[in-house]
Amino acid sequence: MAVRLRAEYVEGMTATASLATRHHALPEPPALPPGSRVALVSPSGPLNGPHELERAIHTAQSLGWETWVGPHALARHGYFAGADEERAADLIAALQDETIDGIWCLRGGYGAARLLPALWPVLERAHPKSLLGYSDITALHAAWARTGLASYHAPTARAALTPFSREHFVPVVQDRTEAMWRAPAATVLRGGRVQGRLAGGNLALVASLCGTPWAWDFRDAIVVLEDINEATYRIDRMLTQLVQSGAFDGCAALAFGQFTDCPESTSDGARALVDVVQDVAQLLQVPTLLGIPVGHIDDQWTIPLGAAATLDADARTLTLRA
């Protein structure tokens, strides 16, 4: 059963909305050094079995973390990891437990956005906690941003951390060091160097939040977008929605990640992804990169959404906390 959005939730968001619409960087939650206690939860799709949970626990322990596993982490209800109430209960328990420092989502899939109305009254009063994950977890990142708190677009807990991903995970989440990352394989669609806060995530989720109380505010932001299993015409459609809704108005730059298994051809014809993205870059007249290592890939950056950064499109670099 879907968790319903009650009117008082929307009214209660008025005070905190100003936090999400301010243009400077958001305060980051506490770092998660070794010794931190991290919750492992499944707010979206189900795991494929206990072996994925075991791998997640092992990975967390390899980072020096103590783990708390949500009671419904292995649940399954259709294409959800349990009913809405069960998934929300695990997140709420983690948010309300003051001994838990961070929440690492086990996987994406679909379903996190359905939980936002139930989470909101708790989230805006909860002790700040780090949130980690990507894909469908973009919906939760948007809610964290709405409270005025940064979060981490990071590998999900069930995935094996490759050496590359670990190298770009630990400095951001555990050490909080400034870093300049290079994406030599990225395509420069429009050059320039800008500063801004990082925002965004999965394109389909960002588009789906338009018109909701949790829609992203991209003013003065370096917008990071990625996706998987979307034909190019659907990517075109979602980007058009964001343009025409005004979601991109005032953004500082676009940094497109990987678009994995996104076919460019249909029975009606073909159009290259680079051409679709180029249209948006030219329309917005902002620095734009395509192909940074973010998205549904094994080797990916961990992006502190809400944190200050500098994008140098010509040099193909992203400097975190600059």
Side-chain angles (χ1 to χ4, degrees):
M1 182 176 67
V3 180
R4 296 181 179 275
L5 174 63
R6 300 207 303 265
E8 61 265 31
Y9 290 176
V10 179
E11 293 170 1
M13 293 177 71
T14 303
T16 45
S18 61
L19 292 173
T21 55
R22 61 188 180 186
H23 302 170
H24 52 75
L26 302 178
E28 296 182 53
L32 295 174
S36 299
R37 189 163 186 250
V38 174
L40 300 177
V41 298
S42 300
S44 304
L47 294 180
N48 292 319
H51 67 284
E52 291 192 333
L53 178 58
E54 292 168 4
R55 182 169 61 208
I57 293 172
H58 175 75
T59 301
Q61 291 175 344
S62 76
L63 294 164
W65 292 341
E66 176 190 345
T67 59
W68 175 88
V69 177
H72 304 97
L74 285 169
R76 180 181 287 270
H77 179 75
Y79 42 70
F80 303 120
D84 289 350
E85 293 82 0
E86 293 173 327
R87 303 190 325 278
D90 284 3
L91 275 169
I92 289 171
L95 285 167
Q96 292 180 330
D97 187 337
E98 294 187 0
T99 71
I100 291 176
D101 304 298
I103 299 172
W104 199 0
C105 299
L106 285 159
R107 68 157 292 187
Y110 169 67
R114 294 164 60 99
L115 310 182
L116 296 181
L119 291 178
W120 182 255
V122 178
L123 181 59
E124 63 179 344
R125 295 192 300 268
H127 180 74
K129 298 182 192 297
S130 298
L131 171 73
L132 301 94
Y134 77 109
S135 192
D136 193 61
I137 309 308
T138 297
L140 300 182
H141 289 308
W144 254 249
R146 183 61 69 168
T147 68
L149 193 66
S151 57
Y152 298 105
H153 187 282
T156 51
R158 73 165 180 169
L161 270 186
T162 67
F164 180 96
S165 293
R166 186 180 289 264
E167 177 187 350
H168 294 82
F169 181 97
V170 172
V172 177
V173 176
Q174 295 196 305
D175 300 338
R176 289 285 178 78
T177 57
E178 182 176 309
M180 177 183 286
W181 293 345
R182 300 183 183 277
T187 301
V188 181
L189 297 182
R190 185 174 175 81
R193 184 178 185 274
V194 295
Q195 292 182 320
R197 75 186 190 284
L198 294 160
N202 180 262
L203 173 59
L205 267 295
V206 169
S208 75
L209 291 172
C210 281
T212 75
W214 298 279
W216 282 93
D217 175 13
F218 289 145
R219 285 176 291 177
D220 296 329
I222 298 169
V223 182
V224 179
L225 297 170
E226 60 81 29
D227 220 318
I228 186 171
N229 294 333
E230 297 286 359
T232 300
Y233 79 89
R234 292 200 292 265
I235 294 170
D236 191 333
R237 182 172 62 201
M238 289 184 282
L239 290 173
T240 298
Q241 177 188 10
L242 292 169
V243 167
Q244 294 183 352
S245 69
F248 286 143
D249 290 356
C251 73
L254 299 172
F256 289 88
Q258 301 298 308
F259 286 76
T260 305
D261 296 330
C262 292
E264 296 182 340
S265 299
T266 69
S267 59
D268 292 327
R271 190 159 188 245
L273 174 65
V274 66
D275 293 334
V276 172
V277 176
Q278 181 73 71
D279 284 350
V280 180
Q282 289 301 111
L283 183 64
L284 298 179
Q285 295 285 292
V286 296
T288 304
L289 281 179
L290 171 61
I292 65 172
V294 171
H296 291 73
I297 51 177
D298 293 334
D299 293 340
Q300 60 175 293
W301 291 346
T302 292
I303 301 291
L305 297 173
T310 299
L311 179 76
D312 188 332
D314 297 296
R316 298 176 176 86
T317 61
L318 181 69
T319 305
L320 303 179
R321 301 184 177 94

